[in-house]
Every structure is written in C-alpha cells, then in structure tokens.
Amino acid sequence: MTAEKMKKHKLVSAITAVSVAAAILLTGTFAWQSISQQALNETMSAVNPGARLHDDFDGRNKDVYVENFTDPDDGGVPVYARVRLDEYMEIGPGAGEQDGNTATSLVEGGELNDVATWKTHIPGDTIESGAEDDPFHEYWSWRTGGSTIYMPTFNKNKDSLKADVNGTYEGTTPDDDTHYDDYHAYTLDEQKTDDAVYDNDDNTVDEGDGAVDPDNITTVEETHTAANTLTGTTITMQQWLDMGAPVGPFWVYDTDGWAYWAQPIQPGTATGLLLDGITLQKEPDEDWYYGINVVGQFATVGDWGSEAGSDGFFGDNAGEAPSDNALFLLNQAAGLETVVTVTANADATTVQAGGTLQFSAAITLGGADHINQKVSWEVSGNTSVDTTISESGELTVGADETAGGTLTVKAVSKADGKAAGVYMVTVTEAGA
C-alpha cells in the first residue's frame, strides 16, 4: 500500500469504559490514530474487581485479552470476563473525517461518532466470518484465539476505567506508511521498571488525569516481568455445549455477540487471545474507514445479576443481560453447586400399594436453571420386587408392598453425577 493511499485509509479501535456495580464496562476511545479517553457513569457505586482489558496493536497483529492484575498473596480473587467486539466501516469521500465527510456506512443507521450504533460482531458459519448480514468481512478477515507475551499492567488503580494499550497510531509520512513507535514486542521474562498506580481514596470515581497523589492515588515503583498469557481457543456457544460444557481456556461466543472466558481468571494471570489480528482482504476503490470498539465487562463469583439494573453484567450502556446459556457457563466456570430438586404430583406424601405416582426433577446451577435437566431415577426402601420407577420418573408400587413402609425416590443429575435430590413417600394399603 502506498503512503499516498494510506493517508486515505483509516483503522480505529475504540475502547470505552464505564463502571457498572460489581462489573466494569470498558469504553473511552483508544484509537489506532490517537488516544482520547472519556469515562462514563463513574459515580455509580462500583468497584473494578481487579481486571484490565489489554489491546495490543503493531499495525498487523491486534491482540485483545484480559488480565487479572490482583496479587494472589494479597487478597486477590478470581474474576470472570466477557468481551464484545463492535465494528464500523464507511466508504466514500472524507471517510473517517469530521469535515467534508460524505462517506456511507456499511450498516444502515451506523454513525462514525456514536459507537452505540456500531454493529456487534455475531458468529456465522465461523466466528471469524460473521453472520450472513455481516457486511464487514467481505473486506476483512480476523484471526482469533492463541496466546502472546504481555507485560503485566502498571495500572492497578481499581477506580481506573482505562484499558492497557500497547501500540497507538502516530500518523504517516511520505516515507513511512504507519507509525506505531510506542508499540513494544515483549520477550518472555523481560523486565520493566515503572511507577505502578494504586487507588488511595474511598470513592469509585476515576479522576483520570486529574488524580492527585496521595489524595486519590498512590504510586509505587515496581519491576514487572513479561509473561505468557494462557492459550485460548475461540468457539461458539453451541460448540461449547456440544463438547459437554467444559471448564477451560475457551472464549465462548454467544449468539448475542458476547464472548465469555470459560474459566476463572486467576490473580496474576491473563486469558488467551480473543482477537489475534485483522487482515484487509478486499480494498475499496474509494476512501475507507474501519473501526473496532472493544467492550469488556468483569465480575466476581456469582455476581452475574439476574435483571437489568441489578449487580453484575448490567447497568447503563452495559448491553444485554447474559443469556441462560451464558449464566450456565459462568456458574459452571465458578464451580457453583448443582442442586437437584424432586417433586411429586400434587406434592403427595403417600402412595397406595399397587398404585402409581409421577415424580419430576428440576436442576439448578448457582441458582439458575441448568441447561441439562436429564436425570436417572432410583427407588429404595421397597420390600416388593414389583416396586420400580421408570426413566420418566413414574413410580409403580407393588401390590404386595409393605403398608407403612417408606420409599425413597432419588434423581441423579446426568450432567453432574454427584448431584442428587430425594423425595420420600409412605406406602398405604390398597384402597385406603
């Protein structure tokens, strides 16, 4: 690509930040051309649980991942993350410019300066290609998954809503298409000494450049060592379910465009890559502009929320509530308890010898419905060989079953063989 043409072609990655109860919605604007961050809703009663969104870009690779910057030896706790990638592209004269822009958005209603109108990337036949109505991937191909070497963030201020950005666009010259002079490719075990920033007040407001040391923040000189992120695999929610819903290093893309990390992010570690790079497949004949808005949210164990406005992945500009499948994934990743509840028709406490009684079972995980409601049924305490229970939970009591005896009906979760529920009924005489 010539320097002259490059001046007309723009790539942008926007990352915004907003505090949401026990979750964090990272927004603000980190552009590949420039950085101008704005934090929203900072006065809400919220605390970043200790996660930082990373966005590394060197003009070729575009790495998106999440770090838990808390100290495992100083009260650090696992955090859970979901990330969304929103796209925008316009083609035509003045694309990406504020003045004299007559370019047309690829998506109806899309506006350059309003990331709320950008289109969330939804998986199609493949995650990278996008859904059938995705116009962007005629021009762009994505690489997802993998790992990188990263420098643990020096921004440990839990009030801060900034992402950790490595590589920003600094303009072009006739003899140099692209400047990413502040990008640094770290090597494993490379060390860096700098001032680490910590919160030092009792509010949840990110004072940004107006923060005063020591009133709002405190700085401590630290030496950090570059480390490997985990190696991530990016799959769809259906693929994850078909695999048996494993806990592991997976970015699981739900049908609403939120990608969930399917295991706890332990203190002092970073996830594998959600996005690993972008490549221009087809160049428009006119000026063009392409941007990716990276949105991340974090929560602590069990704080997923259940409705808009509650704690968890909710709040102003927070996006949709997690789907039932996503709640299942989060509960599964957190290792929350699977509970099997057994009920009898009409809440019966007795059953006649020679009679039948229908049972049912419901399975929850962390208080949310488990997606796999299948159980195996057992009956014990019987004296008659004719007392049995079917695969559908129908109890048949032998005519010679001992009256006054107690039968215990047990349902065992097929998804978690250690989880079971029981229900006891008393046998009465036939015709009683």
Side-chain angles (χ1 to χ4, degrees):
M1 183 181 297
T2 66
E4 180 181 0
K5 293 182 70 176
M6 184 60 190
K7 291 180 181 178
K8 298 181 180 180
H9 304 159
K10 300 176 176 64
L11 298 174
V12 166
S13 173
I15 306 169
T16 54
V18 62
S19 169
V20 183
I24 298 296
L25 171 63
L26 293 178
T27 144
T29 303
F30 286 93
W32 295 349
Q33 286 92 336
S34 61
I35 298 179
S36 59
Q37 179 167 347
Q38 178 182 3
L40 306 174
N41 297 350
E42 294 173 348
T43 58
M44 296 180 66
S45 57
V47 176
N48 181 340
R52 190 72 62 208
L53 182 66
H54 281 256
D55 189 345
D56 304 344
F57 186 68
D58 66 357
R60 299 177 305 277
N61 291 328
K62 170 74 172 166
D63 295 341
V64 173
Y65 53 100
V66 174
E67 173 194 0
N68 181 343
F69 62 77
T70 61
D71 187 344
D73 298 324
D74 190 26
V77 297
V79 296
Y80 300 81
R82 70 175 186 173
V83 174
R84 194 185 74 215
L85 304 175
D86 302 334
E87 297 176 273
Y88 177 82
M89 187 171 183
E90 63 182 20
I91 300 173
E97 303 293 341
Q98 300 302 317
D99 299 323
N101 185 338
T102 59
T104 301
S105 168
L106 292 191
V107 176
E108 184 177 356
E111 297 180 16
L112 172 65
N113 297 315
D114 184 3
V115 294
T117 66
W118 292 21
K119 184 175 177 59
T120 297
H121 181 79
I122 305 293
D125 293 337
T126 66
I127 289 172
E128 295 80 5
S129 64
E132 290 184 1
D133 64 343
D134 184 337
F136 306 105
H137 293 269
E138 174 185 353
Y139 298 95
W140 296 93
S141 65
W142 284 6
R143 296 187 309 277
T144 61
S147 65
T148 191
I149 298 172
Y150 77 106
M151 180 60 68
T153 186
F154 284 87
N155 181 8
K156 296 187 176 183
N157 180 6
K158 289 188 175 182
D159 285 351
S160 174
L161 307 175
K162 291 183 179 179
D164 192 303
V165 174
N166 179 14
T168 51
Y169 183 75
E170 299 174 345
T172 62
T173 64
D175 58 350
D176 188 354
D177 280 355
T178 309
H179 288 165
Y180 292 92
D181 295 340
D182 65 342
Y183 175 82
H184 182 77
Y186 292 101
T187 58
L188 190 62
D189 297 329
E190 179 181 349
Q191 293 191 319
K192 178 180 179 181
T193 301
D194 204 345
D195 284 339
V197 180
Y198 292 84
D199 181 32
N200 199 36
D201 56 29
D202 58 2
N203 61 42
T204 59
V205 176
D206 178 10
E207 292 85 6
D209 293 337
V212 177
D213 186 352
D215 295 340
N216 310 120
I217 58 173
T218 184
T219 57
V220 180
E221 185 178 83
E222 294 180 351
T223 298
H224 291 186
T225 303
N228 285 315
T229 68
L230 296 177
T231 299
T233 301
T234 306
I235 57 178
T236 66
M237 181 65 76
Q238 189 58 55
Q239 288 172 324
W240 181 75
L241 295 173
D242 292 343
M243 291 167 60
V247 174
F250 308 103
W251 280 110
V252 181
Y253 240 116
D254 207 351
T255 54
D256 59 2
W258 284 105
Y260 294 81
W261 186 245
Q263 66 180 21
I265 309 171
Q266 299 296 341
T269 68
T271 68
L273 302 184
L274 172 60
L275 184 61
D276 182 38
I278 61 174
T279 303
L280 183 63
Q281 295 286 96
K282 172 185 173 182
E283 185 171 355
D285 294 332
E286 300 181 83
D287 296 352
W288 56 262
Y289 170 103
Y290 176 66
I292 299 176
N293 182 47
V294 184
V295 181
Q297 290 183 309
F298 315 127
T300 50
V301 62
D303 193 19
W304 327 132
S306 58
E307 59 184 11
S310 71
D311 289 351
F313 292 123
F314 299 101
D316 292 344
N317 300 314
E320 295 298 320
S323 68
D324 289 342
N325 284 339
L327 288 173
F328 168 65
L329 180 149
L330 291 164
N331 290 332
Q332 185 92 329
L336 298 185
E337 183 182 7
T338 302
V339 176
V340 181
T341 304
V342 180
T343 56
N345 188 32
D347 296 328
T349 58
T350 62
V351 61
Q352 292 184 3
T356 62
L357 181 60
Q358 182 65 51
F359 288 84
S360 59
I363 305 175
T364 58
L365 178 63
D369 286 346
H370 197 298
I371 60 169
N372 186 344
Q373 294 285 318
K374 296 180 180 179
V375 298
S376 56
W377 293 96
E378 304 172 8
V379 60
S380 61
N382 53 301
T383 58
S384 171
V385 295
D386 294 330
T387 297
T388 59
I389 190 166
S390 70
E391 292 183 359
S392 63
E394 183 179 55
L395 174 68
T396 299
V397 182
D400 57 343
E401 189 64 63
T402 302
T406 299
L407 301 179
T408 299
V409 173
K410 182 178 182 181
V412 181
S413 169
K414 289 189 175 182
D416 181 354
K418 300 184 295 295
V422 298
Y423 195 105
M424 292 182 287
V425 290
T426 301
V427 179
T428 61
E429 292 182 0

